[in-house]
Amino acid sequence: MSAAPDGSVIQREAPRADLIAFEIKDRITKPDIEWMSSIADAAMTTHGTIDMLLIMSNYEGTDLGARFDGYAGSVMARSVAHIRKYVVVGGPLFVRAMVTLSGSVMPVQTKTFDLSEEAAAWAYLAEAGPAAT
């Protein structure tokens, strides 16, 4: 595991290179969202199509500077064309509702799990097989 500069996000080990997994452990700062975005950006560049897992074990919100970060915003916009499955574990109800809604209007398959169902989320992604073709 590696941690973002301010420690609000850690990258979790994943069983395949085209699956990136992050755990949100605190309030997300601008340096941390940029760190997370750079990992996603590199994975999309390397693999073309990826899957992403976010485990929100202790999400405390997002700093204003992180919400409007230009680099993070550009990576997020491009991710629509590069993410096959976007899975969120835990998190507040409004986050899970946004993830579900976005899956109905974008070409990204979304799914949410309760925090207690983290193992099921990993199993769901394992069953899906490689994202990159």
Side-chain angles (χ1 to χ4, degrees):
M1 284 189 277
S2 60
D6 290 333
S8 65
V9 181
I10 60 170
Q11 184 177 12
R12 299 270 297 267
E13 300 247 351
R16 54 186 164 88
D18 64 352
L19 167 59
I20 55 174
F22 296 105
E23 183 175 354
I24 312 297
K25 300 178 72 66
D26 204 343
R27 184 168 189 82
I28 301 172
T29 65
K30 183 175 178 167
D32 289 0
I33 198 79
E34 289 176 345
W35 173 85
M36 190 173 159
S37 297
S38 70
I39 292 169
D41 195 11
M44 291 185 299
T45 300
T46 300
H47 302 289
T49 302
I50 63 170
D51 290 334
M52 183 179 287
L53 173 64
L54 288 182
I55 302 159
M56 301 182 113
S57 63
N58 190 39
Y59 176 66
E60 295 289 330
T62 305
D63 287 351
L64 191 57
R67 286 184 197 267
F68 298 105
D69 183 77
Y71 176 60
S74 71
V75 171
M76 186 183 303
R78 284 188 315 102
S79 72
V80 172
H82 295 278
I83 294 180
R84 176 183 66 160
K85 293 188 181 292
Y86 182 74
V87 176
V88 174
V89 175
L93 186 56
F94 79 89
V95 169
R96 292 169 43 186
M98 286 180 12
V99 169
T100 301
L101 177 62
S102 67
S104 66
V105 297
M106 293 191 298
V108 176
Q109 298 170 36
T110 62
K111 190 161 178 75
T112 63
F113 293 85
D114 289 332
L115 192 55
S116 64
E117 301 174 310
E118 181 182 335
W122 285 102
Y124 168 77
L125 289 164
E127 289 171 16
T133 54

